Amino acid sequence: RPMNQVRVADAPRIAAEWRLLLTAVQYFTRMPVPAWVGHTQQQLDGAARYFPLVGWLVGAAGALVLWAASLLLPAPLPVILSTAATIWLTGAFHEDGLADTFDGLGGGATRERALEIMKDSRLGTFGAAALFLALLLKIAALAAMPLELAMAALLAGHAFSRACAVTLLYAASYVGSTEHSRAKPVAQRMSAGEYCVASIFGLLPLSLCGLPALAGIAASIVALAWLARWFRQRLGGYTGDTLGATQQICEIAFHIGLIAAWTSF
């Protein structure tokens, strides 16, 4: 077919994918999107494939704040400001899931009680402790890196950890309430093609970190396997909160593995 006919035929598909990407940005961040993007259940169901790509945006924003703050402030202030910027940009979406997950699994003796606690918006002891330790580990790991590596780690870590969360979404079963959960859009089973798209977006930025990224990948995969087993044993699958917890813990594991390998070289 003539090239112009191919482009015309592909235009609706490209526009649909662009809408899905912006839907993911709208759902997972505070970034404004054009009004024409809209907000439908069908869009939300397909937006999860771009979850890691949203990580590119969040990680890039964090890296930019880290670089700018490092021009004026001594360590560890730039890392703290960078972390604060990513939390603000995502509306603490994943941090909230981390806290709710540990509140539920730490305070609920049964599956039903754990799920009930996870729906409670109040922050408990287990959730507060998990959130504090997560932020402390993240800041400490990034502060131990040279500036260039920390900037690369932010971009790679945010993308790859979201790919880990998508892996849980793809491989496990959703056990939460789709009527009351913010994870309702990602409670649908992904196709193999959608998962491949998400995986590619999660893997591409890893090249920025060089060979030490392999240790970060290994640490994240170990964390993902442990979390998947834990969620399956306690809940029978995943919820929206556990996806947030998976993203946070895999991101931290990536940073720790990366810095451990970097200091060894």
Side-chain angles (χ1 to χ4, degrees):
R1 291 182 297 171
M3 184 60 67
N4 62 335
Q5 291 184 10
V6 173
R7 290 174 179 173
V8 170
D10 290 343
R13 178 60 178 173
I14 294 173
E17 293 300 319
W18 181 242
R19 187 184 296 271
L20 287 178
L21 170 58
L22 292 179
T23 298
V25 172
Q26 176 180 242
Y27 186 76
F28 290 115
T29 76
R30 296 176 181 267
M31 293 181 179
V33 299
W36 57 262
V37 173
H39 185 83
T40 68
Q41 186 61 52
Q42 184 178 6
Q43 289 173 228
L44 291 173
D45 289 343
R49 75 188 72 171
Y50 292 116
F51 192 10
L53 191 54
V54 173
W56 289 27
L57 300 177
V58 177
L64 179 61
V65 171
L66 178 63
W67 172 78
S70 68
L71 298 177
L72 302 172
L73 300 170
L77 290 176
V79 172
I80 295 174
L81 291 174
S82 173
T83 302
T86 59
I87 292 174
W88 177 86
L89 189 59
T90 60
F93 190 91
H94 311 296
E95 288 79 6
D96 179 66
L98 174 75
D100 285 344
T101 295
F102 278 84
D103 270 339
L105 297 180
T110 66
R111 172 184 180 276
E112 291 71 23
R113 179 56 180 158
L115 291 172
E116 181 182 352
I117 293 174
M118 289 164 71
K119 295 176 186 177
D120 194 331
S121 60
R122 292 173 295 181
L123 181 63
T125 302
F126 288 104
L131 188 57
F132 174 77
L133 289 173
L135 292 173
L136 190 63
L137 285 168
K138 190 183 303 186
I139 290 170
L142 289 169
M145 301 177 191
L147 177 61
E148 293 78 9
L149 182 62
M151 292 174 65
L154 280 166
L155 186 57
H158 275 281
F160 187 67
S161 62
R162 283 162 171 79
C164 290
V166 170
T167 299
L168 186 63
L169 187 156
Y170 174 71
S173 300
Y174 183 73
V175 295
S177 170
T178 57
E179 297 301 321
H180 301 96
S181 173
R182 288 187 71 188
K184 182 177 181 179
V186 292
Q188 312 298 323
R189 211 63 182 272
M190 296 180 72
S191 69
E194 290 172 331
Y195 177 65
C196 286
V197 170
S199 297
I200 290 171
F201 286 133
L203 290 169
L204 283 177
L206 294 172
S207 61
L208 297 173
C209 299
L211 285 178
L214 296 176
I217 294 171
S220 294
I221 291 175
V222 170
L224 175 62
W226 175 76
L227 288 169
R229 183 173 181 271
W230 188 33
F231 298 152
R232 184 175 64 252
Q233 289 179 338
R234 290 298 313 277
L235 302 173
Y238 71 89
T239 69
D241 288 326
T242 63
L243 290 179
T246 299
Q247 185 278 318
Q248 287 287 292
I249 293 173
C250 288
E251 180 187 352
I252 293 167
F254 177 81
H255 292 328
I256 292 175
L258 182 67
I259 189 62
W262 182 82
T263 55
S264 299
F265 287 166

